[in-house]
Every structure is written in C-alpha cells, then in structure tokens.
Amino acid sequence: MKKVRIGIVGLGRLGRAHANNLAFGVPAAELVAACSVVPAELEYAKNELGVAKTYADFGEMCQDPDIDAVVIVSPSTFHPEQISLALKAGKHIFCEKPLAVTLDECYATEKEVEQYPDLVFMLGFMRRYDPSYAYAKKKIDEGAIGKPYLVKATGVDPDADAESLLDSGYVPKSGGIMMDMASHDIDLMRWFLGDDPEEVYAIGSTVKHPRFTEQGDVETACATFSFKNGAMGQLHVGRAAVHGYHIETEIIGTEGSIRVSPVPAKNLAVMYDKHGVVQECVRNFPERFQQAYVEEMKEFVDCVQNGKKPGVVVHDGTAATQICEAAQKALVTKGVVKI
C-alpha cells in the first residue's frame, strides 16, 4: 500500500520525537517535509532525518501537493489556525494536544473539523496507546473488573525540573496547574469510565518551592470529580517528584481493580546495594511514553490509508479543556464547580 506522505510543523523536544518516529519507526509513513521558524530545526530535519523539503511558512507547506497529511507539534496558541489551514488544503491532520488554549477556540475548531468528515483528524492523547493503558482498557471492556466506578490518577513532574520551570517564565502563562498538567489524566478518566464528569472540587498547596505561589500558581493540586453515571475520579497533579517522573493510575470496579505504573520503573532491573533495594525510575514523559508515541502515529497513518476513524477524536480535546478549565476554577474559588 502507498505510504502516507507527511509534513510536520514544530521540531522542539516533542516535535523531534514525532519526526524521528515518522522517519524511522512507522513503516507506512514517509516524512517528506518539515516546517519551523527556527533555521537550526530545519537543518536538523534535512541532515538528521533526510527531509527533502523545508518551509518557514505552514500555509505554504499545506499547499504542497506531495503531502497527504500534516502533524502539528507547534506551540498551542497556533493550533486552531494551523488546523484550519490544513483542513482547507485537504490534508489529514494529527495535532498534539491541546486542541486550543481557550474553550471558545476548542468549540470553534471542533465545529470546523466536523465540516470535513472525509479527512482524518486525530488528537495526541498518547497515553491511550501506551501498551499498559491499552491493556487495562481491554480488560475493562472484557468485564474483568466488573463495572468501573472509580479512577485514581497521579501525575507529578520531576522535582529536578521545578526551578528551571520557574526560571523560564512559563508558569504565569500556563493557565494554572490544572490546565497545564491534568488533561491526560482527565482523558483517561473519561476513557476508562465511559462518561463525562458533571462536578469538580479542587484544592492546592505549595510546600517546597514558594515561587509557584509567587507566580500565581501552586506546586501540587488535588481534585475530586463526580461523573454523570455515578462514577468518581480522584486526581493528584504536582511538580516535585524527587524520584523522577511519576504517572500512576488505578481503576476500581465492582469485581476488582487494575493499577498501572504503581512504581514508575525505568525497566525491570532491580539493584541490591548499600542503599537497599533500588529500582531506577523514568525521568520524563518522552521516556515513559516512547512506545505510546509510536503506536498513536501508527494508528493515524492506518486511518489515513484505510479511511478509518481514530480512537481519539476532536471532541476529546474540547472535553478535556472544558473539564480542566472547571477544575482550575474550582481550585481558585475553593468551591464545587458544575461542568
């Protein structure tokens, strides 16, 4: 079958990971073009990935007749405009989350995507394609734990990155810890429980790094969700995991439970020494979800080749933003917020 010819925009840390996967890890894809306003990133695409065509203008790349699809890994504020340009040019789209930075933009972008039903649109909630999470979902669908009624999720970034995050000036522009960090866990809650939450209560605190408070945010936050079908969700997000990048999820059902990553292990090796029993942990999200990024791109390419709909659709992006916004409001107002 003919390979899907892809152009990518954005070659930062995550963009480079996607570009490498497309160039070397997805056999049915061919990375033929790259777009960036950073000359060094275009040089990287040419010299390291063998990309023949490079662009500084995304609209110009979309007009290239040799491109079947685009992968958008640019800064979040550009997503709605670039999605619109790609749709009008007849290109299939894979877009990293978030769909947009405001809920109004999400609604408008979702409406526009729905006007092009023949084009594949997929959003990058990669955790659904992680082998462990995919296995948990399969077991839930098979009834292995009965009816799921509670998801407990933890997502904490490494403490080693906290000071550089504060120094970067990003925190005041992030939209708050819930908007910045909760979307993947919220997407998993919706996926595992098969429903949307209707109410949320949230609290937060800063204990180790006072500058989070000085910059108008918190270091750690917790939220409790009430779902329309009676299910519940508990969420813990933070920025100070001293042992590494900690992602953990537990799904509890009427007949059992499933825990994913109770220890964020780097591999199966365990060291026994003067410190006791030690297991190395993953340090960041590209390392933890390396295979998930490959698998989600394989699904996108398969959908383009075979006219299928992906497992993550445009509404999932709108829903995640809506719920994160409500959780952030609950955190700030210290009250229950209806979604």
Side-chain angles (χ1 to χ4, degrees), residues 14 17 32 35 45 69 76 81 90 127 141 143 150 168 195 199 206 209 211 222 234 239-240 242 265 308 326:
L14 183 53
V32 298
C35 177
S76 303
E81 178 187 0
R127 291 190 194 175
D141 290 346
L150 172 62
S168 71
D195 198 19
E199 285 185 339
T206 299
H209 301 279
R211 285 203 290 159
C222 295
Q234 295 178 350
R239 291 158 165 157
V242 295
K308 299 192 299 186

Side-chain angles (χ1 to χ4, degrees), residues 113-327:
V113 169
E114 289 172 347
Q115 294 173 7
Y116 295 84
D118 294 334
L119 294 177
V120 173
F121 181 91
M122 182 173 172
L123 201 65
F125 281 117
M126 82 294 182
R127 291 190 194 175
R128 296 195 191 192
Y129 298 91
D130 173 74
S132 297
Y133 281 117
Y135 175 81
K137 174 63 170 166
K138 179 176 180 291
K139 300 305 289 185
I140 291 169
D141 290 346
E142 291 172 353
I145 62 169
K147 181 177 176 60
Y149 64 84
L150 172 62
V151 173
K152 297 190 287 186
T154 294
V156 188
D157 282 348
D159 182 64
D161 297 342
E163 289 300 323
S164 61
L165 178 67
L166 288 161
D167 291 341
S168 71
Y170 171 77
V171 173
K173 300 181 291 185
S174 70
I177 192 169
M178 290 297 184
M179 291 295 290
D180 186 36
M181 297 190 64
S183 62
H184 284 293
D185 291 302
I186 286 170
D187 180 66
L188 287 177
M189 286 184 182
R190 295 180 62 243
W191 192 46
F192 288 135
L193 296 172
D195 198 19
D196 288 312
E198 60 181 0
E199 285 185 339
V200 58
Y201 172 72
I203 55 175
S205 66
T206 299
V207 180
K208 189 171 185 179
H209 301 279
R211 285 203 290 159
F212 280 112
T213 299
E214 294 167 9
Q215 296 187 17
D217 206 352
V218 293
E219 180 182 280
T220 300
C222 295
T224 300
F225 297 91
S226 172
F227 281 72
K228 296 174 184 177
N229 63 4
M232 299 169 286
Q234 295 178 350
L235 173 66
H236 164 215
V237 290
R239 291 158 165 157
V242 295
H243 53 281
Y245 176 64
H246 193 124
I247 301 297
E248 180 177 350
T249 310
E250 183 176 12
I251 310 100
I252 300 172
T254 56
E255 305 299 328
S257 63
I258 301 172
R259 296 185 71 187
V260 180
S261 296
V263 175
K266 185 180 183 71
N267 51 47
L268 295 178
V270 179
M271 182 165 58
Y272 300 79
D273 63 9
K274 64 182 179 180
H275 301 292
V277 181
V278 180
Q279 192 166 17
E280 281 193 271
C281 296
V282 294
R283 305 305 303 177
N284 50 49
F285 67 87
E287 183 180 7
R288 168 62 181 86
F289 293 106
Q290 180 180 8
Q291 189 60 36
Y293 285 118
V294 175
E295 295 303 323
E296 71 174 353
M297 205 57 70
K298 285 181 178 178
E299 167 148 323
F300 172 64
V301 171
D302 180 52
C303 288
V304 172
Q305 285 185 323
N306 296 293
K308 299 192 299 186
K309 294 296 181 183
V312 185
V313 296
V314 63
H315 176 69
D316 293 314
T318 301
T321 301
Q322 181 184 29
I323 298 163
C324 284
E325 187 176 271

Side-chain angles (χ1 to χ4, degrees), residues 22-135:
L22 289 167
F24 308 117
V26 183
E30 183 180 1
L31 186 63
V32 298
C35 177
S36 175
V37 295
V38 181
E41 292 182 355
L42 297 182
E43 288 300 311
Y44 172 84
K46 286 189 290 186
N47 297 334
E48 302 298 327
L49 305 179
V51 174
K53 299 181 181 180
T54 57
Y55 297 88
D57 183 87
F58 180 74
E60 184 181 351
M61 185 176 77
C62 286
Q63 296 304 313
D64 188 335
D66 292 332
I67 294 175
D68 303 311
V70 295
V71 170
I72 298 174
V73 205
S74 55
S76 303
T77 52
F78 297 133
H79 290 182
E81 178 187 0
Q82 291 178 338
I83 289 168
S84 181
L85 286 169
L87 290 170
K88 290 170 182 174
K91 308 301 184 186
H92 303 286
I93 301 168
F94 176 94
C95 182
E96 261 304 329
K97 69 92 185 169
L99 181 63
V101 295
T102 69
L103 193 52
D104 285 342
E105 285 182 317
C106 285
Y107 287 138
T109 302
E110 181 177 350
K111 185 175 180 180
E112 185 171 13
V113 169
E114 289 172 347
Q115 294 173 7
Y116 295 84
D118 294 334
L119 294 177
V120 173
F121 181 91
M122 182 173 172
L123 201 65
F125 281 117
M126 82 294 182
R127 291 190 194 175
R128 296 195 191 192
Y129 298 91
D130 173 74
S132 297
Y133 281 117
Y135 175 81

